[in-house]
Amino acid sequence: MGRRKIVAGNWKMNMTPTEAVALAKTLIPLVKSDDVDVVFCVPAIDIVPVVEAVKGTNIKVGAENMYIEEKGAFTGEISPLMIKDAGCEFVIIGHSERREYFQESDAFLNQKVKKAFEHGITPILCCGETLEQREAGVTLDWIRLQIKSDLQGITAEQVSSMVIAYEPIWAIGTGKTATSEQAEEVCKAIRETICEIYDADTAEKVRIQYGGSVNAKTAAELFAMPNIDGGLVGGASLKEEFGSIVNY
Ligand code: PGA
């Protein structure tokens, strides 16, 4: 039984609530698909209006981040309880921008993955190497370390249902997509790591996306690779082009 593809848009810090609803409405007819799961990961303030706008369509909504507590004195944070109640089925965890600009550590991200599962939210866990790491030849070691740290204490059943996004940092927002071979090599290594920590069945089930300058031209070749089950798309998810990526 093959894995179902999943293509998620990561809107990042773009789109006011008004713009978000307009974009969702533009994309609804373009991202229809019977074969691919489609997710819009949107800014916290856009979750409620976007969930409303996509009601009755094939589109699922995700958050771009969340905190590790349900409620309390954590000014400015948003909780798993809140995003779940608002209609999110997914949450991006450990995007490289969160790791870099907000100093989110693997230990902290591991807590977030656990919390997401506690609330029935599917994590899209991101990992990826810098250009320096790639050039130094430590990419696979680094990715294995990230995966092992972020998944500590997560059960095989949970991992089977989650999504892992491999996003080389040098390819994010740079227009420099990894080649299909480069992306496949790392996604395969991630699957092997899951097999090593858990078992072959879990490794077979976990969905692994590629992210980093995915566009309408590169999607088909990337998504055809045996270990790539779709994409996490930034810039191109804000345009009509996202429809062509979903229907690669
Ligand atoms: P990009 O972003 O498609 O704009 O490179 C991908 C991401 O950061 O998820």
Side-chain angles (χ1 to χ4, degrees), residues 166-194:
Y166 165 56
E167 299 204 308
I169 295 168
W170 48 271
I172 295 177
T174 56
K176 221 168 129 183
T177 318
T179 65
S180 303
E181 291 71 27
Q182 285 173 325
E184 168 64 14
E185 182 192 25
V186 181
C187 291
K188 181 165 176 272
I190 293 171
R191 204 173 298 286
E192 286 165 358
T193 305
I194 298 298

Side-chain angles (χ1 to χ4, degrees), residues 8-10 12 92 95-97 126 165 167-168 171-175 210-215 232-237:
N10 174 11
K12 307 196 178 183
I92 300 175
H95 189 280
S96 61
E97 288 149 18
C126 301
E167 299 204 308
I172 295 177
T174 56
Y210 166 78
S213 299
V214 173
N215 59 45
L232 183 56
V233 184
S237 72

Side-chain angles (χ1 to χ4, degrees), residues 15-248:
M15 301 293 140
T16 64
T18 309
E19 291 167 341
V21 169
L23 176 62
K25 287 186 174 158
T26 302
L27 292 178
I28 287 169
L30 305 176
V31 301
K32 279 203 183 110
S33 169
D34 293 331
D35 313 314
V36 176
D37 287 339
V38 180
V39 188
F40 291 175
C41 297
V42 306
I45 198 165
D46 297 337
I47 292 170
V48 169
V50 170
V51 165
E52 183 61 32
V54 304
K55 219 168 246 170
T57 74
N58 60 315
I59 300 159
K60 295 174 165 47
V61 178
E64 298 177 11
N65 182 35
M66 61 169 213
Y67 194 58
I68 54 169
E69 299 289 346
E70 280 73 19
K71 61 179 188 168
F74 304 99
T75 304
E77 289 298 316
I78 183 158
S79 88
L81 213 55
M82 293 169 184
I83 64 170
K84 177 75 180 179
D85 184 69
C88 286
E89 294 180 51
F90 292 84
V91 61
I92 300 175
I93 292 179
H95 189 280
S96 61
E97 288 149 18
R98 303 280 335 159
R99 292 178 187 262
E100 185 185 349
Y101 306 140
F102 303 95
Q103 286 81 45
E104 295 195 1
S105 68
D106 285 308
F108 186 48
L109 297 171
N110 175 240
Q111 287 182 276
K112 289 193 179 192
V113 174
K114 285 184 182 147
K115 267 293 160 192
F117 279 120
E118 254 178 57
H119 291 273
I121 306 164
T122 303
I124 301 176
L125 173 67
C126 301
C127 59
E129 82 286 3
T130 62
L131 186 60
E132 292 69 33
Q133 288 173 318
R134 176 156 285 270
E135 286 171 350
V138 299
T139 297
L140 297 185
D141 288 337
W142 172 252
I143 300 290
R144 285 189 196 107
L145 186 66
Q146 283 189 318
I147 294 296
K148 286 183 182 174
S149 314
D150 298 346
L151 294 182
Q152 272 184 61
I154 308 299
T155 69
E157 196 189 349
Q158 289 170 331
V159 172
S160 301
S161 72
M162 73 182 289
V163 180
I164 297 175
Y166 165 56
E167 299 204 308
I169 295 168
W170 48 271
I172 295 177
T174 56
K176 221 168 129 183
T177 318
T179 65
S180 303
E181 291 71 27
Q182 285 173 325
E184 168 64 14
E185 182 192 25
V186 181
C187 291
K188 181 165 176 272
I190 293 171
R191 204 173 298 286
E192 286 165 358
T193 305
I194 298 298
C195 184
E196 185 191 311
I197 317 173
Y198 299 94
D199 50 62
D201 183 53
T202 307
E204 194 52 40
K205 284 182 180 151
V206 65
R207 293 192 285 181
I208 304 176
Q209 297 173 317
Y210 166 78
S213 299
V214 173
N215 59 45
K217 288 200 187 76
T218 54
E221 196 185 316
L222 285 161
F223 300 172
M225 300 310 275
N227 286 289
I228 301 180
D229 307 314
L232 183 56
V233 184
S237 72
L238 302 170
K239 305 187 232 167
E240 294 187 5
E241 182 178 2
F242 191 61
S244 312
I245 298 174
V246 168
N247 292 293
Y248 67 98

